Amino acid sequence: MTIPSHTSVGIVGGGPAGLLLARLLHRAGIDCVVLEARDRAYVEQRQRAGILEQGTVDALRSCGAADRLDREGLVHDGIELRWNRRSHRIDFPSLTGGRRVWVYAQTEVVKDLIALQLADGAPLLFEAPVTAVVGADTDRPVIHYTHEGTDRTLTCDYVVGCDGFHGVVRRAIPEGELHTAERVYPYSWLGILADVPPSCDELIYAHSPRGFALHSMRSPSVSRLYLQVPNGSDPASWTDAQIWDELEARFAVDGDWKLDRGPITQRSVLPMRSFVTEPMRWGRVLLAGDAAHIVPPTGAKGLNLAASDVVVLARAFAQWAATGTNAGLDAYSDTCLKRIWRAEHFSWFMTTTLHTAPDQSAFDTRLQLSQLDRIAASPHAAAELAENYAGLPVG
Ligand code: RFL
Ligand code: PHB
């Protein structure tokens, strides 16, 4: 493959944000190059999110990347909340005017987008770590990267940092220009993948005196489950039986529900953080997805926010390419931040309502239980949760 030395849009990072942006730009006839630090297998295997909102599914469909999603994705019309050994179902379509979500793993979205990109898309380079972006305030920002042992440069009209929370593009923006807001939570998740059919038809979010637990799934034969654990926990310090016992204790509910066990094939501990950097554009450098914001995973928003950022951005680039106007690019940051802050609030709300903090008082717990009771008692409170979870329209 010939690697160009100039492109319209240089995309740093081949995660969901970078890959979807590349696909949308390709469809709009705008040339771009994607530079990804890791190898293809690593990017395709990285276990992360599992829930797609309607807006994300619409975006994937709009660029021809949803064939397998439409065949294999599991449509979910609700979630179950558990607390005090009780259970309450939140029905999305009736509470949101018809919205629903899809269970389709981020790994699968990424595989689908990579396959399309390599088949007929713009150049996508793996093992091409970007070391720096210079000239954000000039007409021709330059990406410095290495590939096959050689230092290279890519000159761009615009650079988009889709390089995640630990990426380098954010550093191209002078420190004084960026404002960040952050919260680090005093607990983490131990996530497992298990070869066992899910013990539920819909996801279960459980509040318990022993801490939070979540039952999700990857397919009709693979379950994905999470346990709240202390920060710094070593995933290897738990035996499989201890993990299943703890999950069973936290999901305990009156009635005859049972948690089926199976071989655990993967486990990892993920810390939880809220983070927003503003603005998301400076000069000719723009940030999208986790490079600009992080949410704790309790609201299932991370991947969906990344997708909505790049939908807005792709529209702005299409307007710029067609008419030369920067209006969409100028509005990008403000447009996205409205949705981002809504998702930040919702993710914080779900996290702090369902988890038990190390210093939690009896008062804090009673507030959590009162809030959960309110959601069960009031269609208005339930609708507030459902609208946020199922996702607001991309705008
Ligand atoms: P990604 O997926 O982190 O992709 C960024 C890509 O950029 C590459 N990169 C570079 N490439 C070139 N040069 C450099 N210098 C580079 N530096 C980095 C990286 O290798 C990577 O491929 O960000 P993106 O595209 O914005 O997508 C966002 C989503 O991945 C993220 O919001 C969610 O997965 C968040 N998240 C979860 N969300 C959920 O809704 N549910 C979950 O269960 C869930 N689990 C998770 C998660 C995020 C995690 N991270 C980031 C620590 C579990 C983890 C471990
Ligand atoms: C997942 O399936 O990995 C998942 C689902 C919902 C969440 C977080 C993670 O809130």
Side-chain angles (χ1 to χ4, degrees):
M1 184 200 337
T2 340
I3 307 170
S5 57
H6 177 84
T7 189
S8 295
V9 183
I11 300 175
V12 183
L19 293 168
L20 179 57
L21 177 61
R23 195 73 208 149
L24 293 167
L25 293 182
H26 177 69
R27 282 285 173 123
I30 300 168
D31 66 294
C32 63
V33 172
V34 183
L35 301 171
E36 164 57 46
R38 315 300 296 245
D39 63 37
R40 179 178 179 181
Y42 181 91
V43 173
E44 290 187 343
Q45 303 303 321
R46 207 165 28 191
Q47 273 304 323
R48 289 190 173 172
I51 297 286
L52 307 185
E53 295 172 7
Q54 177 80 54
T56 305
V57 171
D58 291 346
L60 291 165
R61 284 180 179 155
S62 77
C63 61
D67 290 356
R68 199 158 65 91
L69 160 64
D70 280 327
R71 281 198 313 274
E72 297 175 17
L74 308 171
V75 176
H76 280 202
D77 281 342
I79 55 169
E80 186 181 327
L81 299 175
R82 286 190 185 177
W83 70 101
N84 272 348
R85 302 188 64 87
R86 292 170 47 208
S87 139
H88 180 78
R89 178 169 185 269
I90 306 283
D91 184 77
F92 297 149
S94 65
L95 291 162
T96 64
R99 298 181 82 81
R100 45 205 351 212
V101 297
W102 279 252
V103 173
Y104 191 68
Q106 181 167 328
T107 45
E108 307 314 298
V109 173
V110 164
K111 281 181 206 162
D112 296 345
L113 288 167
I114 288 175
L116 285 170
Q117 189 74 8
L118 294 178
D120 76 347
L124 160 61
L125 271 61
F126 291 102
E127 300 179 78
V130 169
T131 48
V133 174
V134 297
D137 54 347
T138 68
D139 283 350
R140 287 278 183 275
V142 181
I143 300 178
H144 293 254
Y145 69 103
T146 57
H147 189 53
E148 294 171 345
T150 309
D151 290 340
R152 295 173 186 268
T153 56
L154 177 66
T155 308
C156 312
D157 294 326
Y158 284 94
V159 174
V160 185
C162 297
D163 49 348
F165 181 62
H166 300 288
V168 299
V169 177
R170 214 162 52 227
R171 286 188 233 143
I173 304 177
E175 246 176 46
E177 303 292 337
L178 282 186
H179 302 278
T180 57
E182 183 171 33
R183 172 183 287 249
V184 177
Y185 296 83
Y187 31 72
S188 302
W189 280 9
L190 169 64
I192 62 159
L193 268 185
D195 277 340
V196 60
S199 302
C200 48
D201 296 328
E202 295 176 336
L203 272 59
I204 306 172
Y205 289 79
H207 175 287
S208 97
R210 308 173 68 97
F212 171 75
L214 169 61
H215 194 325
S216 181
M217 60 196 73
R218 287 291 173 264
S219 71
S221 58
V222 176
S223 296
R224 173 83 167 149
L225 297 113
Y226 297 96
L227 278 177
Q228 175 190 340
V229 293
N231 282 345
S233 295
D234 174 6
S237 66
W238 294 67
T239 64
D240 287 13
Q242 281 172 328
I243 293 175
W244 286 114
D245 287 348
E246 191 59 33
L247 286 164
E248 202 168 88
R250 295 189 192 183
F251 287 121
V253 66
D254 290 339
D256 58 4
W257 184 82
K258 177 169 157 291
L259 179 66
D260 290 325
R261 301 182 177 204
I264 296 177
T265 55
Q266 257 192 50
R267 55 169 77 189
S268 59
V269 167
L270 7 155
M272 312 249 270
R273 181 192 299 272
S274 300
F275 170 84
V276 182
T277 181
E278 309 185 44
M280 291 162 64
R281 173 191 173 192
W282 193 74
R284 285 180 174 255
V285 167
L286 303 106
L287 303 173
D290 278 16
H293 43 75
I294 297 282
V295 285
T298 328
K301 290 284 155 242
L303 169 60
N304 294 296
L305 278 183
S308 55
D309 284 356
V310 299
V311 166
V312 173
L313 195 48
R315 269 190 219 140
F317 277 127
Q319 183 191 47
W320 163 76
T323 66
T325 167
N326 286 325
L329 292 169
D330 290 344
Y332 166 67
S333 187
D334 287 346
T335 305
C336 290
L337 281 163
K338 284 197 190 75
R339 182 189 186 84
I340 290 162
W341 275 110
R342 177 85 305 279
E344 289 289 342
H345 179 271
F346 177 64
S347 305
W348 163 85
F349 164 80
M350 288 289 279
T351 303
T352 54
T353 303
L354 292 167
H355 290 70
T356 305
D359 61 351
Q360 183 149 319
S361 66
F363 180 82
D364 298 331
T365 304
R366 292 304 299 264
L367 288 184
Q368 290 178 325
L369 297 175
S370 164
Q371 180 61 35
L372 290 164
D373 288 342
R374 168 88 186 141
I375 290 167
S378 157
H380 300 290
E384 174 64 12
L385 193 156
E387 275 185 17
N388 280 284
Y389 192 99
L392 308 164
V394 178

Short mmCIF file of all heavy atoms in Angstrom, two decimals, residues 8 29 34 49 75 80 84 98 103 107 128 134 141 146 151 164 218 222 275 285 287-288 306 325 339 375 378 390:
data_model
loop_
_atom_site.label_atom_id
_atom_site.label_comp_id
_atom_site.label_asym_id
_atom_site.label_seq_id
_atom_site.Cartn_x
_atom_site.Cartn_y
_atom_site.Cartn_z
N SER A 8 -6.79 14.90 3.68
CA SER A 8 -7.69 15.95 4.19
C SER A 8 -7.85 15.82 5.70
O SER A 8 -7.69 16.79 6.43
CB SER A 8 -9.07 15.84 3.53
OG SER A 8 -8.97 16.09 2.16
N GLY A 29 -17.02 10.87 0.45
CA GLY A 29 -16.02 11.19 -0.57
C GLY A 29 -14.88 12.07 -0.07
O GLY A 29 -14.23 12.76 -0.86
N VAL A 34 -6.13 6.60 8.62
CA VAL A 34 -6.24 6.23 10.03
C VAL A 34 -4.91 5.62 10.48
O VAL A 34 -4.42 4.67 9.86
CB VAL A 34 -7.37 5.20 10.26
CG1 VAL A 34 -7.50 4.90 11.76
CG2 VAL A 34 -8.70 5.69 9.70
N ALA A 49 -17.19 -2.23 25.65
CA ALA A 49 -18.63 -2.01 25.81
C ALA A 49 -19.47 -3.08 25.10
O ALA A 49 -18.98 -3.80 24.23
CB ALA A 49 -18.97 -0.63 25.26
N VAL A 75 -31.78 -7.43 20.21
CA VAL A 75 -32.53 -6.21 20.53
C VAL A 75 -33.10 -6.33 21.93
O VAL A 75 -33.72 -7.34 22.27
CB VAL A 75 -33.68 -6.02 19.51
CG1 VAL A 75 -34.52 -4.80 19.89
CG2 VAL A 75 -33.12 -5.84 18.11
N GLU A 80 -33.37 -4.69 33.92
CA GLU A 80 -33.94 -4.99 35.23
C GLU A 80 -33.06 -4.35 36.30
O GLU A 80 -31.83 -4.43 36.21
CB GLU A 80 -33.95 -6.51 35.39
CG GLU A 80 -34.65 -6.99 36.63
CD GLU A 80 -34.60 -8.52 36.74
OE1 GLU A 80 -34.63 -9.22 35.71
OE2 GLU A 80 -34.50 -8.99 37.89
N ASN A 84 -32.70 -4.72 47.50
CA ASN A 84 -33.51 -5.26 48.62
C ASN A 84 -34.21 -6.55 48.23
O ASN A 84 -35.37 -6.75 48.58
CB ASN A 84 -34.57 -4.24 49.05
CG ASN A 84 -34.04 -3.28 50.09
OD1 ASN A 84 -32.98 -3.51 50.64
ND2 ASN A 84 -34.77 -2.20 50.33
N GLY A 98 -40.82 4.43 21.99
CA GLY A 98 -40.39 3.41 21.03
C GLY A 98 -38.91 3.15 20.94
O GLY A 98 -38.48 2.37 20.08
N VAL A 103 -27.71 -5.33 22.01
CA VAL A 103 -26.53 -5.94 22.62
C VAL A 103 -25.67 -6.45 21.46
O VAL A 103 -26.07 -7.37 20.73
CB VAL A 103 -26.93 -7.11 23.54
CG1 VAL A 103 -25.68 -7.85 24.04
CG2 VAL A 103 -27.73 -6.59 24.74
N THR A 107 -16.17 -5.22 20.34
CA THR A 107 -15.21 -6.01 19.54
C THR A 107 -15.79 -6.31 18.15
O THR A 107 -15.08 -6.29 17.15
CB THR A 107 -14.91 -7.36 20.22
OG1 THR A 107 -16.15 -7.93 20.66
CG2 THR A 107 -13.98 -7.21 21.41
N ALA A 128 1.21 1.74 13.89
CA ALA A 128 1.69 3.05 13.43
C ALA A 128 1.46 4.08 14.54
O ALA A 128 0.58 4.95 14.43
CB ALA A 128 0.95 3.45 12.16
N VAL A 134 1.87 18.48 15.38
CA VAL A 134 2.35 19.86 15.51
C VAL A 134 1.61 20.77 14.54
O VAL A 134 1.12 20.32 13.50
CB VAL A 134 3.89 19.97 15.30
CG1 VAL A 134 4.65 19.18 16.35
CG2 VAL A 134 4.28 19.50 13.91
N PRO A 141 -1.64 21.19 9.81
CA PRO A 141 -1.09 20.44 10.94
C PRO A 141 -0.40 19.16 10.46
O PRO A 141 -0.80 18.59 9.43
CB PRO A 141 -2.31 20.12 11.80
CG PRO A 141 -3.48 20.26 10.89
CD PRO A 141 -3.12 21.26 9.84
N THR A 146 5.46 6.59 13.56
CA THR A 146 6.46 5.61 13.08
C THR A 146 5.71 4.42 12.48
O THR A 146 4.61 4.07 12.93
CB THR A 146 7.38 5.10 14.21
OG1 THR A 146 6.57 4.55 15.23
CG2 THR A 146 8.23 6.21 14.79
N ASP A 151 10.47 6.68 10.85
CA ASP A 151 9.73 7.88 11.28
C ASP A 151 9.09 8.51 10.04
O ASP A 151 9.77 8.69 9.02
CB ASP A 151 10.69 8.90 11.92
CG ASP A 151 11.19 8.40 13.26
OD1 ASP A 151 10.54 7.52 13.85
OD2 ASP A 151 12.26 8.88 13.71
N GLY A 164 -8.23 7.90 22.30
CA GLY A 164 -8.55 7.43 23.64
C GLY A 164 -7.99 8.34 24.73
O GLY A 164 -7.33 9.34 24.48
N ARG A 218 -22.93 -11.44 25.78
CA ARG A 218 -22.31 -11.19 24.48
C ARG A 218 -23.05 -11.91 23.36
O ARG A 218 -23.00 -11.51 22.21
CB ARG A 218 -20.84 -11.64 24.50
CG ARG A 218 -19.94 -10.71 25.29
CD ARG A 218 -19.80 -9.36 24.57
NE ARG A 218 -19.07 -8.37 25.36
CZ ARG A 218 -19.64 -7.45 26.13
NH1 ARG A 218 -20.96 -7.38 26.21
NH2 ARG A 218 -18.92 -6.59 26.79
N VAL A 222 -22.79 -16.78 25.56
CA VAL A 222 -21.69 -16.17 26.32
C VAL A 222 -22.22 -15.05 27.23
O VAL A 222 -22.92 -14.15 26.75
CB VAL A 222 -20.60 -15.60 25.38
CG1 VAL A 222 -19.51 -14.89 26.17
CG2 VAL A 222 -19.99 -16.71 24.52
N PHE A 275 -14.58 12.19 33.09
CA PHE A 275 -13.59 13.16 32.64
C PHE A 275 -14.13 13.87 31.40
O PHE A 275 -14.67 13.22 30.50
CB PHE A 275 -12.29 12.41 32.28
CG PHE A 275 -11.25 13.24 31.57
CD1 PHE A 275 -10.38 14.04 32.29
CD2 PHE A 275 -11.14 13.20 30.18
CE1 PHE A 275 -9.42 14.80 31.63
CE2 PHE A 275 -10.18 13.94 29.52
CZ PHE A 275 -9.32 14.75 30.25
N VAL A 285 -7.17 21.03 15.03
CA VAL A 285 -7.16 19.75 15.74
C VAL A 285 -8.48 19.58 16.49
O VAL A 285 -8.92 20.49 17.19
CB VAL A 285 -5.97 19.68 16.72
CG1 VAL A 285 -6.11 18.51 17.68
CG2 VAL A 285 -4.65 19.56 15.95
N LEU A 287 -10.95 16.72 18.86
CA LEU A 287 -10.93 15.50 19.67
C LEU A 287 -12.29 14.82 19.61
O LEU A 287 -13.32 15.50 19.57
CB LEU A 287 -10.61 15.84 21.13
CG LEU A 287 -9.31 16.59 21.39
CD1 LEU A 287 -9.22 17.02 22.86
CD2 LEU A 287 -8.10 15.72 21.01
N ALA A 288 -12.30 13.49 19.62
CA ALA A 288 -13.58 12.76 19.60
C ALA A 288 -13.46 11.50 20.45
O ALA A 288 -12.39 10.91 20.57
CB ALA A 288 -13.96 12.38 18.16
N ALA A 306 -18.86 8.16 21.78
CA ALA A 306 -17.83 8.20 20.74
C ALA A 306 -18.50 8.23 19.37
O ALA A 306 -18.11 9.00 18.48
CB ALA A 306 -16.90 6.99 20.87
N THR A 325 -17.48 25.96 3.93
CA THR A 325 -17.79 26.66 5.18
C THR A 325 -17.37 25.84 6.40
O THR A 325 -17.47 24.62 6.41
CB THR A 325 -19.30 27.02 5.28
OG1 THR A 325 -19.56 27.42 6.62
CG2 THR A 325 -20.20 25.86 4.98
N ARG A 339 -24.65 16.95 24.75
CA ARG A 339 -24.97 15.54 24.90
C ARG A 339 -24.00 14.85 25.87
O ARG A 339 -24.38 14.01 26.68
CB ARG A 339 -24.86 14.90 23.51
CG ARG A 339 -25.20 13.46 23.46
CD ARG A 339 -24.83 12.89 22.09
NE ARG A 339 -25.30 11.53 22.02
CZ ARG A 339 -26.53 11.21 21.68
NH1 ARG A 339 -27.40 12.14 21.36
NH2 ARG A 339 -26.90 9.95 21.67
N ILE A 375 -38.03 5.18 41.41
CA ILE A 375 -38.03 4.73 40.01
C ILE A 375 -39.10 3.64 39.81
O ILE A 375 -39.79 3.61 38.80
CB ILE A 375 -36.62 4.25 39.60
CG1 ILE A 375 -35.66 5.45 39.53
CG2 ILE A 375 -36.65 3.49 38.27
CD1 ILE A 375 -34.19 5.08 39.46
N SER A 378 -42.77 5.56 40.22
CA SER A 378 -43.19 6.68 39.38
C SER A 378 -42.79 6.48 37.92
O SER A 378 -41.60 6.38 37.60
CB SER A 378 -42.54 7.97 39.89
OG SER A 378 -42.49 8.92 38.85
N ALA A 390 -31.62 4.64 26.94
CA ALA A 390 -31.84 4.27 25.53
C ALA A 390 -31.22 5.30 24.60
O ALA A 390 -31.00 5.02 23.42
CB ALA A 390 -33.33 4.10 25.25
#
